[in-house]
Amino acid sequence: MRFFVTGASGWIGTAVVRELLEVGHQVVGLARSDASADKLERAGASVQRGDVDDTGVLARAAADSEGVIHLAFKHEVAWSGDFAGAAATDRRAVEAMGAALAGTDRPFVLASGMLGLSAKPATENDGLVPAPEVRAVPAGRRAATALLTLSLAGTGVRSSVMRYPPTVHGDGDHGFIASIVGASLQSGAAGYVGDGDNRWPAVHISDAARLTRLAAESAPAGSVLHAVGDEGVPFRQIADVVGRHLAIPAKSLSPEEATAQYSHLGHFVAVDCPATASITRELLGWTPTGPGLIEDLELGHYFKM
């Protein structure tokens, strides 16, 4: 199959492109810079120049594909304070590509998250009823865009929503865990909030990429999928490993201290968000085989400064 992949040169996207190519699929990756285009070409993918603001480009590339994997999101805009603007751009992108695929029965896989799901542990069946604030301003909410994606099943699109955990970890990761390691080193302590019993789900990058490929190949229309390897790692365990490898103490922080130490990640450090993937594993025959988060941290690559 010939897949159009947005976010193709990012952390998850690079692994997904590699996974697709290794099993014989063709990939057209969206690239907004020369560096991203070069990276995709070296990997063996074709390049579509543009970005997620270019709805016309997105629609044409989707129409020319045999399926779409939408991983791109304007994280730099979101973390700078305009999350609603980044989410609105994402919604317009989904609307454009979804319309281009209508009536084709081709796959559309949307990258989403599981932070904010209230059930503990959260399953694939949770988060499917929009909260009042989501219904009030759907354009600025990623949760509303995920529900929009699921609704594309009614227009002849084999749509699915891939919920990734807060950390998709592995060698080369520059996301949440790498940021936590860097902030801990700078502050001189590996912080956790309260007793640190709050839990984070996690998945290794190799398992996330394989599941994303399986979703594009065979997930039924309207599927919600959880890319979960570890269902819930207590954050205190993460802090203990980080502290030991950096030779600094693990330390309990107040919520205010966590915000001061971890900046925009301060809130997430305290979130309790365990999640399961039982439905996903049964539906697609997916079994994680990569190292768990603690095992991956113990390998040491996060601490090569």
Side-chain angles (χ1 to χ4, degrees), residues 166-170 173-184 200 202 235 238 242 262 265 293 296-297 301-303:
T167 177
V168 179
H169 57 87
D173 171 27
H174 297 290
F176 274 19
I177 293 297
S179 297
I180 286 166
V181 170
S184 297
W200 270 22
F235 200 86
I238 299 172
V242 170
Y262 294 118
L265 296 181
L293 176 56
D296 201 16
L297 283 168
H301 52 79
Y302 277 101
F303 308 102

Side-chain angles (χ1 to χ4, degrees), residues 104-128:
T104 66
D105 292 320
R106 294 173 184 172
F108 181 96
V109 182
L110 172 74
S112 187
M114 52 189 63
L115 283 174
L117 296 174
S118 59
K120 301 184 190 309
T123 76
E124 295 88 337
N125 291 328
D126 294 310
L128 301 181

Side-chain angles (χ1 to χ4, degrees):
M1 296 178 69
R2 185 172 182 266
F3 289 104
F4 174 49
V5 181
T6 72
S9 60
W11 168 237
I12 297 176
T14 297
V16 169
V17 168
R18 184 189 311 117
E19 174 76 20
L20 291 168
L21 293 172
E22 284 180 351
V23 300
H25 295 299
Q26 296 177 302
V27 174
V28 177
L30 183 68
R32 63 178 179 175
S33 69
D34 290 341
S36 294
D38 290 344
K39 183 177 181 180
L40 287 168
E41 289 175 341
R42 289 196 304 271
S46 300
V47 173
Q48 170 62 64
R49 294 302 297 261
D51 62 29
V52 290
D53 288 303
D54 299 326
T55 55
V57 169
L58 298 178
R60 288 190 294 273
D64 290 341
S65 75
E66 294 177 276
V68 174
I69 300 174
H70 180 40
L71 304 172
F73 188 75
K74 300 176 78 170
H75 289 99
E76 69 282 4
V77 173
W79 294 132
S80 69
D82 188 15
F83 190 92
T89 297
D90 190 49
R91 185 178 182 88
R92 290 191 292 270
V94 169
E95 289 172 340
M97 291 185 285
L101 293 175
T104 66
D105 292 320
R106 294 173 184 172
F108 181 96
V109 182
L110 172 74
S112 187
M114 52 189 63
L115 283 174
L117 296 174
S118 59
K120 301 184 190 309
T123 76
E124 295 88 337
N125 291 328
D126 294 310
L128 301 181
V129 178
E133 60 270 20
V134 173
R135 292 196 298 270
V137 191
R141 304 280 183 168
R142 291 194 82 183
T145 301
L147 295 176
L148 170 65
T149 299
L150 296 178
S151 75
L152 294 177
T155 68
V157 180
R158 184 163 60 80
S159 60
S160 60
V161 170
M162 178 69 64
R163 290 176 180 163
Y164 297 106
T167 177
V168 179
H169 57 87
D171 194 356
D173 171 27
H174 297 290
F176 274 19
I177 293 297
S179 297
I180 286 166
V181 170
S184 297
L185 180 63
Q186 184 174 9
S187 69
Y192 55 91
V193 175
D195 57 13
D197 284 345
N198 60 294
R199 298 153 292 177
W200 270 22
V203 69
H204 190 263
I205 184 64
S206 61
D207 293 317
R210 181 160 43 87
L211 180 57
T212 304
R213 188 246 313 161
L214 291 172
E217 290 175 339
S218 60
S223 300
V224 175
L225 305 165
H226 277 192
V228 172
D230 292 313
E231 294 186 358
V233 181
F235 200 86
R236 173 63 189 267
Q237 289 187 22
I238 299 172
D240 284 343
V241 176
V242 170
R244 177 159 42 79
H245 278 268
L246 295 179
I248 58 177
K251 179 183 177 182
S252 178
L253 305 175
S254 69
E256 295 76 19
E257 290 170 331
T259 298
Q261 176 164 324
Y262 294 118
S263 184
H264 64 277
L265 296 181
H267 166 71
F268 299 114
V269 167
V271 169
D272 185 44
C273 57
T276 68
S278 300
I279 294 172
T280 298
R281 296 187 189 203
E282 182 176 353
L283 184 66
L284 295 181
W286 174 71
T287 301
T289 58
L293 176 56
I294 297 300
E295 180 185 355
D296 201 16
L297 283 168
E298 295 286 15
L299 293 174
H301 52 79
Y302 277 101
F303 308 102
K304 296 176 181 177
M305 305 299 178

